[in-house]
Amino acid sequence: MIASRARGSLVMVDTREVSVYAGTTVFTRMPGGYRAGSLREIAQRVGMSEAGLLHHFKNKSTLLLAVLDHRDEQSRQIVNFDDADGVETLRALVKLARYNASIPGVIELFCTLSAEATSPSHPAHEYFLRRYEYVRESITVAFRRIADEGRLIREIDPYRAAVATTAMMDGLQVQWLLDPTSTDMADALAEFFRGYVRGYDLDALEQLLDARAAGSLVNGEGAGAVASL
Amino acid sequence: MIASRARGSLVMVDTREVSVYAGTTVFTRMPGGYRAGSLREIAQRVGMSEAGLLHHFKNKSTLLLAVLDHRDEQSRQIVNFDDADGVETLRALVKLARYNASIPGVIELFCTLSAEATSPSHPAHEYFLRRYEYVRESITVAFRRIADEGRLIREIDPYRAAVATTAMMDGLQVQWLLDPTSTDMADALAEFFRGYVRGYDLDALEQLLDARAAGSLVNGEGAGAVASL
DNA sequence: GTCTATAGGAGGATAGAC
DNA sequence: GTCTATCCTCCTATAGAC
């Protein structure tokens, strides 16, 4: 627990929670992100010593995982794969891509980290393995439903389509981060889906969802979390 | 210059050149790659002191750029965008993807580095900016030719198709590095092209190119360089 | 061109007091 | 739960001799 003054009144704050926020800030800051971010700085932001911080997280990797888990928890409140189905899921992903363009720092963390975590010894390796499996599985289900509705433009294996979709999202992020003028991630993704799904563009429906999504994203507590998808 | 014994005879080797090789080895080794790789180890591999190494490359970043430039020089000898045209270029990319699957270390370097280099202050930022522009431009030309031949399946802007292609290649790499069983990069890319190009699968032609490409890749001096594409 | 020596710093982590 | 003190490792880079 830490005592801090907010809006004039004394507030007790959970140290662990604050640390996760501070960790997020530091790890999402470029250049360097996780690797360059130091426990020293995080401790300083929390207003505590390094040793104090390490009492809660036994080392730097553990704190990283806590940060990632925290984002996931929030993501699930915003884009829930289990709720949506079929085309609706794809639309949500486009919406997500559009939103992501407003939080470059977080995107950069996930982009860099997922590349780094590629090696089995990286502290977040297991995390990303599970995450990609989950995302692919969810998108696979979406494509399977679209296929069942007979809306698939050409013969494709739902799983392969999911891999391609995931790849497209990741790849667009790299180009966009490097040069934001090079591509509009959301438009590019929508274009991609148009190649697979018959009648992907049902404008009225899309706009309805647009409005709904905009509302929830703006109000959503930790909307930034969506990036991790 | 450095004296070394190879095949029993005394050979003089250009130190700079050897340093670039050593740098490649160290920077492509995971985990950590460029960031984790130290001048200390590179110097040790070359068989000289850190100070000696820094005589040739004024700092670590400079050495990195030398490594990247060296790879590019070799790439150009293997996949030359200017030679191929239209569908042939796309096929070359698929071939490339297949080859890349045999050199995970190099792919990992480029994958990680392109994510890191996303921030303007990264030493390789300019390098990747130029590289992506070049690649997109080249692929744009290919799609433009395909469009001129009337082989485009649906209306798409050649530039957008190039962005999507680049994204697909990058994104597939991330998933593949994380879990090689998750996807076959080359197959996935070919599938992607099938959605754009009429008659992409002309088996005879493909096999002809297959053979030709296999030959040049196996014999090519620094075939690994292709990864940078 | 290459080496020795060393400056100068950052970062992760631990021990033990309070 | 938190702090002080401290250790140890590792790095980039420079100065100056050979």
Side-chain angles (χ1 to χ4, degrees):
Chain A
M1 285 289 208
I2 271 187
S4 86
R5 294 210 157 271
R7 298 196 210 84
S9 62
L10 193 63
V11 178
M12 295 310 250
V13 189
D14 179 45
T15 308
R16 218 192 117 87
E17 205 171 309
V18 176
S19 303
V20 170
Y21 279 109
T24 305
T25 305
V26 172
F27 290 159
T28 57
R29 196 188 44 223
M30 295 294 147
Y34 169 65
R35 251 179 224 284
S38 68
L39 293 179
R40 208 150 282 184
E41 183 185 351
I42 296 170
Q44 197 180 343
R45 277 171 177 272
V46 176
M48 195 164 72
S49 70
E50 291 171 63
L53 182 60
L54 287 169
H55 171 72
H56 295 281
F57 308 92
K58 91 170 196 292
N59 54 34
K60 195 185 177 185
S61 322
T62 308
L63 175 54
L64 171 64
L65 292 180
V67 166
L68 295 175
D69 280 341
H70 179 246
R71 293 227 147 254
D72 280 347
E73 206 177 306
Q74 298 184 308
S75 323
R76 248 168 276 134
Q77 295 172 7
I78 297 165
V79 174
N80 193 334
F81 278 119
D82 303 327
D83 286 356
D85 74 0
V87 185
E88 201 177 329
T89 301
L90 304 192
R91 280 185 218 279
L93 292 177
V94 172
K95 219 60 58 190
L96 180 59
R98 189 152 281 136
Y99 178 70
N100 282 346
S102 68
I103 46 167
V106 179
I107 300 301
E108 201 153 349
L109 174 68
F110 276 90
C111 216
T112 312
L113 220 50
S114 58
E116 269 182 28
T118 258
S119 41
S121 59
H122 192 283
H125 183 72
E126 296 300 321
Y127 170 86
F128 276 102
L129 259 184
R130 279 198 307 273
R131 160 166 276 312
Y132 273 92
E133 252 168 44
Y134 170 69
V135 170
R136 278 192 303 250
E137 171 59 22
S138 303
I139 301 180
T140 301
V141 171
F143 274 105
R144 201 172 287 138
R145 288 186 187 163
I146 292 171
D148 289 346
E149 293 169 8
R151 296 182 64 182
L152 231 40
I153 285 181
R154 57 204 176 89
E155 292 289 314
I156 31 145
D157 175 52
Y159 174 78
R160 286 181 183 228
V163 169
T165 301
T166 309
M168 184 59 66
M169 293 182 75
D170 282 353
L172 287 171
Q173 283 176 9
V174 175
Q175 286 181 75
W176 175 77
L177 284 170
L178 201 54
D179 174 9
T181 71
S182 66
T183 179
D184 179 309
M185 296 190 285
D187 286 356
L189 191 60
E191 168 96 8
F192 175 72
F193 288 144
R194 255 174 239 126
Y196 282 110
V197 183
R198 215 185 314 278
Y200 172 82
D201 289 307
L202 295 177
D203 288 326
L205 181 58
E206 172 134 40
Q207 271 165 33
L208 187 83
L209 287 158
D210 246 304
R212 195 203 295 173
S216 67
L217 286 173
V218 169
N219 299 329
E221 267 267 295
V226 202
S228 55
L229 292 170
Chain B
M1 285 291 205
I2 271 185
S4 88
R5 293 210 158 268
R7 296 195 210 88
S9 61
L10 192 62
V11 178
M12 294 310 253
V13 189
D14 180 43
T15 309
R16 216 192 119 88
E17 206 171 308
V18 176
S19 303
V20 170
Y21 279 110
T24 305
T25 305
V26 172
F27 290 159
T28 57
R29 196 188 47 225
M30 296 293 148
Y34 169 66
R35 250 178 224 282
S38 68
L39 293 180
R40 198 158 292 181
E41 185 185 349
I42 296 170
Q44 196 181 343
R45 278 171 175 270
V46 176
M48 100 178 158
S49 70
E50 292 170 61
L53 183 61
L54 287 169
H55 170 73
H56 296 281
F57 309 92
K58 90 171 196 291
N59 54 35
K60 196 184 178 185
S61 320
T62 308
L63 175 54
L64 170 64
L65 292 179
V67 167
L68 295 176
D69 279 342
H70 179 246
R71 293 227 147 255
D72 280 348
E73 205 178 306
Q74 297 184 305
S75 325
R76 248 167 277 134
Q77 296 172 6
I78 298 165
V79 174
N80 194 334
F81 277 121
D82 303 328
D83 285 356
D85 73 1
V87 185
E88 200 178 328
T89 301
L90 304 192
R91 280 187 218 277
L93 292 177
V94 172
K95 220 60 59 193
L96 179 61
R98 188 152 282 137
Y99 177 69
N100 282 345
S102 68
I103 45 167
V106 180
I107 301 301
E108 200 153 350
L109 173 68
F110 276 90
C111 215
T112 312
L113 220 50
S114 60
E116 270 182 27
T118 259
S119 40
S121 58
H122 192 282
H125 184 72
E126 296 300 322
Y127 170 86
F128 276 101
L129 258 184
R130 278 199 308 273
R131 163 166 273 313
Y132 273 92
E133 253 168 46
Y134 170 69
V135 169
R136 278 192 303 251
E137 171 59 21
S138 303
I139 302 180
T140 300
V141 170
F143 273 107
R144 201 171 288 140
R145 287 184 188 166
I146 292 171
D148 289 346
E149 293 168 7
R151 296 181 63 182
L152 231 41
I153 286 181
R154 56 204 176 89
E155 293 288 316
I156 31 143
D157 175 52
Y159 174 78
R160 286 181 184 228
V163 169
T165 301
T166 309
M168 184 59 64
M169 295 182 74
D170 283 352
L172 286 171
Q173 284 177 6
V174 175
Q175 286 181 75
W176 175 77
L177 284 170
L178 201 54
D179 174 8
T181 70
S182 67
T183 179
D184 179 309
M185 296 190 287
D187 286 356
L189 192 60
E191 168 95 11
F192 175 72
F193 288 144
R194 255 174 238 124
Y196 282 111
V197 183
R198 214 184 315 277
Y200 173 82
D201 289 308
L202 295 177
D203 288 326
L205 181 59
E206 172 135 38
Q207 271 163 34
L208 186 84
L209 287 158
D210 247 304
R212 194 201 298 173
S216 67
L217 285 174
V218 170
N219 299 328
E221 267 268 293
V226 203
S228 56
L229 292 171

